[in-house]
Amino acid sequence: PAWGRHVRYDGLVRWLRRYRIHRRLYPLWRDLCRASPEVALAPSAAAPLGDLWPFDLDFRLYRRVVEIRDAQLVLRPYLDADTVAEANHRCRDAGLVAEEADAAAEAACLGVAVRRRLTGAPSHSRLETAVVPETHGLEGEVRAIERLAVLYGHSPVVRAVAAVSYTHLTL
């Protein structure tokens, strides 16, 4: 009976979708945990082979989302208004709109914050207010984090902002 919901077609499709999301979040989660290891609840689960374990996927996905959001809070002091402005400018130049632009700017700022934390470089000026994306429930949060993770790994905006911030770090 315990396997019944997983063996059904809809249960299997749901599990595969959540497994794909869990794997997609790994590169972002790995970098954030490398920069702020205190957010990882179980450091032994950081190995990629730990992701292959097929059980407790809902719990592990939930935990990964929480750890990513916690890392964002820890990395907050490494963000500054100049980086946010540069990210927003690059998003406008790329023609991104609304949610996609917000997610790309957030991903770019995270990349810069990770690099600053790892190199020990401070931010130039602190942000006055926290930018918290509005989501609706766990599913909305998972979708927002998945979009963030995909952009973090593949967006040209993220790479451009990282390149600009890297030149500022080396000057």
Side-chain angles (χ1 to χ4, degrees):
W3 280 90
R5 65 186 176 111
H6 297 292
V7 176
R8 288 191 345 235
Y9 177 75
D10 57 340
L12 182 61
V13 169
R14 179 183 181 279
W15 185 89
L16 287 171
R17 185 174 50 245
R18 294 180 80 71
Y19 185 76
R20 188 187 92 227
I21 292 169
H22 189 258
R23 294 291 300 154
R24 276 182 149 176
L25 298 183
Y26 179 76
L28 173 63
W29 175 83
R30 177 199 60 221
D31 289 355
L32 292 176
C33 286
R34 189 175 295 149
S36 52
E38 64 272 19
V39 301
L41 295 176
S44 62
L49 293 178
D51 281 353
L52 298 176
W53 185 250
F55 304 107
D56 298 328
L57 184 60
D58 286 335
F59 172 71
R60 290 185 296 131
L61 180 60
Y62 175 77
R63 197 175 86 193
R64 184 158 288 178
V65 167
V66 168
E67 289 172 354
I68 288 171
R69 288 299 188 204
D70 285 349
Q72 286 179 294
L73 293 174
V74 169
L75 294 173
R76 183 120 186 95
Y78 296 90
L79 292 176
D80 59 36
D82 295 337
T83 302
V84 173
E86 179 68 27
N88 288 328
H89 173 74
R90 297 286 178 155
C91 288
R92 278 192 308 276
D93 286 352
L96 302 178
V97 293
E99 290 180 10
E100 189 177 0
D102 292 343
E106 184 180 1
C109 290
L110 264 180
V112 171
V114 165
R115 178 177 280 168
R116 284 185 177 150
R117 172 92 186 241
L118 290 173
T119 60
S123 64
H124 302 296
S125 61
R126 300 253 170 136
L127 288 174
E128 296 300 321
T129 60
V131 178
V132 179
E134 184 176 327
T135 59
H136 300 286
L138 179 60
E139 290 304 316
E141 190 72 18
V142 168
R143 282 192 302 278
I145 295 284
E146 181 183 19
R147 184 181 322 118
L148 180 69
V150 168
L151 289 168
Y152 178 83
H154 302 292
S155 173
V157 170
V158 173
R159 287 190 295 275
V161 172
V164 168
S165 80
Y166 183 71
T167 58
H168 289 301
L169 286 175
T170 57
L171 294 178

